[in-house]
């Protein structure tokens, strides 16, 4: 499956429909489909408002539902989402490795009507936060001292090499 593969307009419209249903139910305007060979395997909507879990974005909720079905590698799958993924979801999608992610709204289109920022970021600044040096990021990040901070990683490597 390549980026040249035709976009299934009905699937993209379904994400918008799910997002609208979620808004009507008091949720946020995001939805996600995981699709294999044109068939929807998972439908999910953002559940942050409903659950209070700030990580319950539509993409994350969909990936969790897929994992419950035993699907942990999305090679051979596509994902359809309401808007270009936020940095958290984008990172999760890189780990999940779908063949392609199709989004309905660009970041700019979303930003015209919606901003889910907080005291550390806004939609327009969030992506740039990641590329800043640690001491310049808005979220206070400091490395604490411990006797051997790399021990768990060395242990993992020793057990998995």
């Amino acid at each position: 499956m390549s980026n040249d593969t035709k976009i299934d307009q009905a699937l993209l419209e379904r994400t918008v429909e799910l997002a609208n249903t979620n808004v009507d139910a008091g949720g946020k305007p995001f939805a996600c489909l995981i699709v294999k060979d044109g068939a929807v395997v998972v439908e999910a909507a953002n559940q942050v408002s409903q659950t209070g879990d700030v990580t319950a974005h539509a993409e994350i909720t969909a990936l969790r539902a897929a994992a419950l079905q035993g699907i942990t590698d999305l090679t051979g799958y596509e994902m359809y989402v309401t808007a270009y993924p936020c940095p958290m979801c984008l990172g999760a999608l890189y780990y999940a490795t779908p063949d392609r992610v199709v989004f309905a709204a660009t970041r700019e289109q979303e930003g015209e009507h919606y901003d889910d920022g907080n005291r550390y970021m806004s939609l327009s600044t969030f992506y740039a936060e990641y590329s800043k040096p640690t001491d310049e990021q808005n979220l206070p990040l400091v490395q604490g001292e411990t006797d051997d901070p790399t021990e768990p990683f060395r242990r993992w490597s020793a057990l998995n090499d």
Side-chain angles (χ1 to χ4, degrees):
M1 206 173 301
S2 74
N3 288 338
D4 297 334
T5 304
K6 186 174 177 349
I7 293 172
D8 187 322
Q9 199 62 37
L11 293 173
L12 194 56
E13 292 296 335
R14 178 65 183 146
T15 65
V16 173
E17 179 184 322
L18 281 172
N20 282 327
T21 299
N22 201 46
V23 168
D24 292 343
K28 296 189 179 207
F30 303 98
C32 178
L33 304 178
I34 298 177
V35 177
K36 183 164 180 81
D37 299 326
V40 176
V41 177
V42 172
E43 284 189 347
N46 181 296
Q47 296 294 300
V48 172
S49 295
Q50 294 91 325
T51 66
D53 176 355
V54 298
T55 68
H57 290 201
E59 297 91 334
I60 304 299
T61 303
L63 292 171
R64 290 173 180 163
L68 290 174
Q69 295 179 36
I71 304 166
T72 58
D73 176 357
L74 294 184
T75 301
Y77 294 79
E78 291 184 313
M79 294 180 75
Y80 283 76
V81 297
T82 310
Y84 184 88
C86 76
M88 176 183 69
C89 293
L90 192 58
L93 295 175
Y94 269 92
Y95 275 107
T97 70
D99 288 359
R100 179 171 74 165
V101 177
V102 178
F103 57 93
T106 64
R107 289 171 31 197
E108 296 77 18
Q109 289 170 322
E110 174 188 356
E112 291 176 20
H113 306 284
Y114 181 84
D115 192 337
D116 200 20
N118 62 39
R119 66 186 175 133
Y120 296 125
M121 56 80 175
S122 68
L123 181 63
S124 64
T125 65
F126 197 19
Y127 298 87
E129 278 294 305
Y130 284 79
S131 61
K132 291 180 182 177
T134 303
D135 62 343
E136 293 178 20
Q137 292 180 11
N138 290 331
L139 178 66
L141 296 162
V142 295
Q143 183 177 13
E145 290 189 33
T146 183
D147 289 339
D148 189 356
T150 64
E151 180 183 9
F153 309 108
R154 290 192 322 276
R155 183 173 295 192
W156 184 89
S157 291
L159 293 172
N160 293 282
D161 278 348

